[in-house]
Amino acid sequence: STSTTPGETSAAAGKTIYVLGPTPDHGWTAQAGSYAEKKVAEINAAGKYKAEYQASSDGEAQNDLVQNIIANGDAAGVVFFALDDSAKSGQEALIGANIPFISFDRIIEGPDKSAILNFSGDNWAVGAGIGYWLQKNGMKPGDTLVTLIGDNGTVSSRRQEGFEQFLKGEKDYSDKETGQTYKTSQAWTADEVSALTSKYKVVCDWSADAAYQYLEQTLPDIMKDAKSSGGSLYVFSMDDEMTFGFMNLLEGNTLDDAAKKDLADMKVYISAIGGMQELYDVMAGTAPQSKIADQYFDGLMSMYFSPKMMTTAIDYMTQYLDGTDWKYKAGDGEYEPTFIVDKNNVSKFQGFTGH
Amino acid sequence: MSILEMTGVSKSFDGNRVLKGVDFSVEQGEIHALLGENGAGKSTLLNILAGVIPRDGGDVHFDGTHYPHATIAQMEKAGVAFVHQELNVVNDLTVSENIFFNHELTYPLGLLRRTEMVAETRKLFERLGVDMDPTRKVGELKTSQKQLLEICRALHAEAKLMILDEPTTALGNDEIEHLFSILRQLKSEGRSFIFVSHKMPEVFQIADTYTVLRNGELISSGAVADATPFSITCDMVGEQYADEDVYRARELGPVVLELDRLTSESFRDVSLTLRRGEVVALTGLAGSGASELMQALFGAIPLLDGEIRAHGKPASGSIRAAMRGGIGMLPTNRKENSVIPDVSVLENLYLAEHSLSARRQWIHNAREIAQYENLRDALNIRTQGPGVAINSLSGGNQQKVFLARWLNTDADILLLDNPTQGVDVGAKEEIYGLILELATAGKTVVINTLEIPEIQKVSDRCVVLYAGDVVAVLDHDQINERDVMLYSTNAMNAAKGD
Amino acid sequence: MEAKTGNKVWRAVSSLWREHSYIFVFIVILIVYAVTIQLNGKSFTSGHISSILSSQNTVIVGTMAIGMALVIITGQIDLSIGSALVLCSGVTIVVFNMTDNILLTVLAALGSGLLLGAVNGVLAAYAKIPPFIVTLGTMLIYRSLALWAVREIPAEISGSSSSQFAMKSGSASYEFLRMAFGTGSLRIAGFSIPYVSILFLLCVALFVVIAGNTKYGKAVYAVGSNDRAARLAGVNVDRIKASVFMVTGLLVGVASIIQACKVGNITPASSGRSYEMYAIAAVVLGGIAMAGGRGNMAGVLFGALSYSAIDFIIVSIPALSADIQDTFQGLVLILVILVQTAGPVVKERFTSRRRRSRPAAAAAAGTTG
Amino acid sequence: MEAKTGNKVWRAVSSLWREHSYIFVFIVILIVYAVTIQLNGKSFTSGHISSILSSQNTVIVGTMAIGMALVIITGQIDLSIGSALVLCSGVTIVVFNMTDNILLTVLAALGSGLLLGAVNGVLAAYAKIPPFIVTLGTMLIYRSLALWAVREIPAEISGSSSSQFAMKSGSASYEFLRMAFGTGSLRIAGFSIPYVSILFLLCVALFVVIAGNTKYGKAVYAVGSNDRAARLAGVNVDRIKASVFMVTGLLVGVASIIQACKVGNITPASSGRSYEMYAIAAVVLGGIAMAGGRGNMAGVLFGALSYSAIDFIIVSIPALSADIQDTFQGLVLILVILVQTAGPVVKERFTSRRRRSRPAAAAAAGTTG
Ligand SMILES: Nc1ncnc2c1ncn2[C@@H]1O[C@H](COP(=O)(O)OP(=O)(O)OP(=O)(O)O)[C@@H](O)[C@H]1O
Ligand SMILES: Nc1ncnc2c1ncn2[C@@H]1O[C@H](COP(=O)(O)OP(=O)(O)OP(=O)(O)O)[C@@H](O)[C@H]1O
Ligand SMILES: [Mg+2]
Ligand SMILES: [Mg+2]
């Protein structure tokens, strides 16, 4: 573990806080990167520390940046948003060089024991939250579910795992807003879960376009199935973007009037994950697309999973360097609270914007 | 009245003077033959006339206008059409699209008048007696049809002056006959022609006047009626070649190469036996099949029938089989077939040896340089070192490098296709000496060439091909310019027939 | 006599196969799609066909693939189209949001597309940088400019606060572009064709005409087939090489209009990724040779449809996990091209054997130059 | 006389520039990097150089770029290397986890790399499918197989439960591979060179020798320069064309070993993406011509180092927002190549019109046999 202890580092003043994060890639991580850049500018303006945001496109490249940071010899600390587990050897190198780091979002086993803090959102929890919400809205074995997958990476697979584990009763969902913990109301069998999730699924690369395309093509089939399986349609969308893809489709004339009427008559529940202000506006009824959502969706929710937590992570680092209020010891974890945002509580939250 | 007047035209390539103040004129309504050896400067002169390349000096007046800086487009507009020596068709377009290429008929919106063009092509072909489907892709045509197509394209332009640079190399006799009747008719309509050919009977059949170039200089000009094939040939060849005689009769060894009824698409039923130490010349005009025969011996093009035996063992099928049988070939068309433009002289030199000895992969640089120096001295190659780019060598020296490429493989049967291509007169003599030296040392050499003095100088026997048939096999003593020229243009047989 | 007729039929069939194999390919793929649907217990309807017709891969990628086809026919390549689409759609949407004027929006789309294409064309044709490198560079540049712009531009103008360009709704021109045109369909005899698909079809038709029926088209083929011959016939080869990039740029502009009208927004970080590969795949599936000089522009239509249909087949096989889908995509791509390249090779073998069996005739037929 | 000497010097300098411009390019880039570091108030140390030497772009992409260089020298292209790296590293790690045997692990890496390369080579050289299409297809296939495998294989064997392949720690061979070799450095005179960088340098040296001092190497250049002439000199052109893909596969195997030892794991979904583009960029920055036939293998070393350094420069300019970084990358790429291609073009212009018309003249003078 690191020998650096908080407060000891008045020597840290004037040194640099490095923030490692993604190049603009897809919605959520890109926003996290933007928040980091903004926060870095604030720290530089404040003047006590210097700060640099260093972007890369994968974990291997982050390893290289670590080498570079060590060579620079001026690191006070690193906020490490690992893009994949390949960044492990970079974190190991930081440990070797005695540079304190906060592991953000992706916690890598091994180095996590030496990180001054492991701070993340919980991808399994958001999956479980959606499982809970859909079940609450009547989803039962044999129903029709559409899964809009982000990509083939671990983020999506964890959300998928959390979703399935909740339904099977292997995992609970605890809502950080209400403080309540929920169990599945009926433990599904593995077969029931796979029958639910295997039929309509598509990898959208986190984009609205891909969800639009897929639904444009398959929605008639999906609706036919949904009609014959009880008249409800559930959509497990892993990101706000893809949920917008569905709304974009419904906004246009691609579906004929009969189909639109069928859909409006059907019970439709759709999820999202993220915290885009635009989606919150839709829920709040102030966006142009609110009309669409009201007309077709019986329920629309988004799991709060804001990229703003990046700002919080950097705040933790300055707190640590200042040596004030530091209550964690190396290897501790801290999870950003996860909860359901829908039209009932949306007024309490501020979403993120791309600026 | 002269439709074309070129005066004092000169041109150099890299300091090499190819045209030395040539005067050349063509009268309206005549067919003017432009004659000369390979490399005499005919194509260069015509390329200058048509604006393909700029000239260094001299004037061009066409149809009463002076063209100080002619471009292709300008000359085309002025009424010059050009059938280039090599094919320039677009294989992926159809026949009629090629005929009209860059001169398409269009409606106001720029749309093509497709059916009209096809119909006009059909009419053109009918008039010219050509049997070709205007809607076919040119890539599917035979070479002779492609050449006909090029001619038709030029004829269709209805130009005032048509340049035909060796237009008949791929054509059959009937086609040539037909072409001539068309030319005669167009001539009677007042059109003019420049006609380049190495086939003497054609010249006497069709041309009204002639001009002979040699080494970029005007040698003679006049009416065909006042000349004889022999006099023109003498003008073309000049005197200097007959002078030195490096040939010596030698004792020949056992048979090393047997060709048994070889047939391909370009030649048929060729049977020959070659002995150790023998030098045999193949000759024949382009299209005679001589070059293809050589390529077939080397396995570079497929045989349809027959068998090749080297040292008593079959050696046909592939280039590698031929090479393992001790055969090496210096191909014609150096630029396309021999030059590896991006690598050094040494690497160019060693390529064939490397592919033969690929079992031992390591290159011993010092050993190769020593061998390079041997060959350089033996062939008197002038370079600035083994590491320089091949393209920095003059053409003749490049040619010697490729000759060295094959000497370096220890091949004992050397096929030399046009070995003195681009080689200047002095260096030619050196190569002739070398060929005879090699033969004396026991190598068998087959050369394919159009240059008769070359044949006379080195060969023990001369095999003359015409249109794929062996028409004569002449012993050294029987080889003379006139006879070889007459056989290879089939004038001898024509004369016999008449 | 008989042999001659047989020959003719053989030639006609083999030429149809060679020249239009993409149609057969599409039909086979469509049949496979229909069978897949039926096997899943659904019925294959005209709706499935119209969803192929209107998919993103057809209308957006397909439109740009028309330009890619021209670029490939001249023996070049353009890797930047996906990024150009993003940047160009951004400009289009911003101009719309600022002016609310349809004509200006269309002009902005076409103008910015043309500009982006001209950059590629000038660098490749006149500065002689290999097209692969030029467009690899501009692929990075165009997308990154769009990313940068979307965060710099105020949300009222970009139309969204979340890193995307979005059309601002509410006005009559929005209603027209998005509702009437972008997502509307023409209904004929129970079959509905989206207007954007009609626009795509018109583009294909236009370029079938341009490629096949204008001087310019002939020059494009000639440059790719034999640029020396083209030069000797007086064609300005550099200009043609640059122009195909500019045409591609214009078509990227058209695709941007479609994107704006059909989807209403674009996300610089994710939209249009790998579209260059999809477009190349569509071009190659359309029977256009990577080596240049050959291919029918109508092939792009079938190539794009085939590519969309392959996509749909893959997602409609429930047994195929998402992970393995790309394997199928890759295999199908290689297989289809193998069939198309194998055709001529097999034919070559076949005819050379036939020729070999009649050497005398062949020899008599004469000689090569 | 004087003019002649001047000419000679001019020729020598211009030839050095033409043949080894990649060295100048690298030096300039390195200087820019040092200046950037200093301007940010840090000091440029040997650590910065060793971090360039050991970066992923240098050791992994660089190793594969050696193969890419051979492929490009023969006039082909390989888009599949990034995906092949992922699949091959997966195999390597799985074999390690199952056997805990270093020799078997190395053999598995090289063997699987060779196999993946052979697939590309056979399809491109013998089935005559354009290399662009073959490797576009295998790019999809190889990655997707890795994705599929990582989810199918039990976690004890893949070494991780989270969709990646990871070396299982604990054994002595793990300690050796990861700790001693993969992340260790050789320290000489205060300067430390990572062992993996030494492996990369050895590969470069090996291929400098192979390309320059073996008959195989000479044949590779000959095929790319004029394959017709190469064939007529007895070179088996198809075999050479296939072999460079196999060599690339072997080098992907070496890169997989480095990945396993240096990083310890690989994520099929994200690792190795765009590596084909980085490798092409390194090759081109190394002065190897996209058109084939020309270039020095040592250039790959400098090209890879230059590319890594450009990356580092870009992240070390704080004023450059992450969005706009790619713009700089693209611009630098185009500019560097422009400088390299512009040299000859300017010289061409400079030495008068006469030369420009030479290709046409040569064409017209060409033989018909
Ligand atoms: N592009 C060129 N570069 C250098 N030299 C050239 C070039 N073209 C022609 N030459 C030279 O010009 C001379 C004349 O060539 P030209 O093609 O005019 O001969 P020709 O009389 O047409 O011969 P042939 O009968 O073979 O067609 C040749 O000796 C050749 O060396
Ligand atoms: N790049 C070049 N440099 C120098 N000389 C050249 C070059 N290219 C061609 N030549 C020369 O141009 C002349 C004409 O070329 P060409 O290839 O037509 O000759 P050829 O093959 O002997 O003629 P033919 O086709 O009548 O047999 C030859 O003397 C040839 O050596
Ligand atoms: Mg000539
Ligand atoms: Mg000639």
Side-chain angles (χ1 to χ4, degrees), chain B residues 38 85 166 198, chain D residues 365-368:
Chain B
N38 291 131
Q85 188 168 359
E166 300 193 43
H198 289 292
Chain D
T367 177
T368 48

Side-chain angles (χ1 to χ4, degrees), chain B residues 13-14 16 38-40 43 85 166 169 198 286 332-335 394-396 398 418 420-423 450-451, chain D residues 358 362 364-369:
Chain B
F13 288 111
D14 303 325
N16 175 22
N38 291 131
S43 297
Q85 188 168 359
E166 300 193 43
T169 48
H198 289 292
T332 184
N333 194 348
R334 185 174 61 237
K335 189 174 163 200
S394 78
Q398 282 182 27
N418 208 352
T420 56
Q421 181 180 20
V423 172
L450 271 178
E451 294 187 39
Chain D
R358 233 170 87 187
T367 177
T368 48

Side-chain angles (χ1 to χ4, degrees), chain A residues 54-264:
Chain A
Q54 300 202 337
S56 22
S57 53
D58 55 40
E60 282 96 350
Q62 292 183 310
N63 294 335
D64 298 343
L65 294 179
V66 167
Q67 293 304 326
N68 215 20
I69 287 167
I70 295 171
N72 285 343
D74 67 340
V78 177
V79 176
F80 206 129
F81 181 177
L83 297 174
D84 52 58
D85 290 12
S86 306
K88 183 176 180 179
S89 65
Q91 299 191 343
E92 288 166 348
L94 287 177
I95 297 165
N98 265 338
I99 297 171
F101 70 97
I102 291 175
S103 204
F104 173 75
D105 189 50
R106 179 183 301 272
I107 312 304
I108 300 175
E109 259 177 68
D112 62 341
K113 300 193 181 53
S114 307
I116 58 165
L117 180 65
N118 297 298
F119 177 64
S120 71
D122 186 340
N123 281 305
W124 285 285
V126 294
I130 291 170
Y132 158 75
W133 183 77
L134 290 177
Q135 195 183 49
K136 193 180 79 178
N137 285 302
M139 185 174 72
K140 51 187 190 313
D143 279 351
T144 301
L145 176 81
V146 179
T147 309
L148 303 176
I149 302 167
D151 63 18
N152 284 314
T154 52
V155 170
S156 298
S157 60
R158 286 173 183 176
R159 289 175 183 180
Q160 182 74 30
E161 280 163 24
F163 177 80
E164 295 183 7
Q165 284 166 356
F166 177 85
L167 291 179
K168 290 190 235 168
E170 294 165 5
K171 185 180 170 62
D172 299 341
Y173 166 64
S174 52
D175 191 295
K176 291 280 164 44
E177 194 202 10
T178 60
Q180 301 243 18
T181 297
Y182 305 96
K183 265 190 177 355
T184 180
S185 58
Q186 171 205 359
W188 294 32
T189 65
D191 285 347
E192 285 168 344
V193 171
S194 92
L196 178 79
T197 56
S198 69
K199 202 153 188 190
Y200 297 109
K201 60 180 189 300
V202 65
V203 176
C204 295
D205 285 324
W206 306 103
S207 78
D209 290 3
Y212 180 108
Q213 272 176 64
Y214 173 76
L215 291 167
E216 180 180 40
Q217 181 229 341
T218 44
L219 199 57
D221 289 340
I222 292 169
M223 283 166 56
K224 217 172 285 169
D225 264 17
K227 255 190 197 165
S228 65
S229 66
S232 299
L233 172 62
Y234 301 96
V235 182
F236 173 16
S237 160
M238 293 194 187
D239 194 273
D240 296 347
E241 295 264 357
M242 279 107 75
T243 305
F244 268 113
F246 195 4
M247 284 191 277
N248 287 341
L249 177 70
L250 296 175
E251 190 180 9
N253 290 343
T254 315
L255 293 185
D256 59 35
D257 295 339
K260 279 185 167 174
K261 185 170 180 316
D262 277 358
L263 191 71

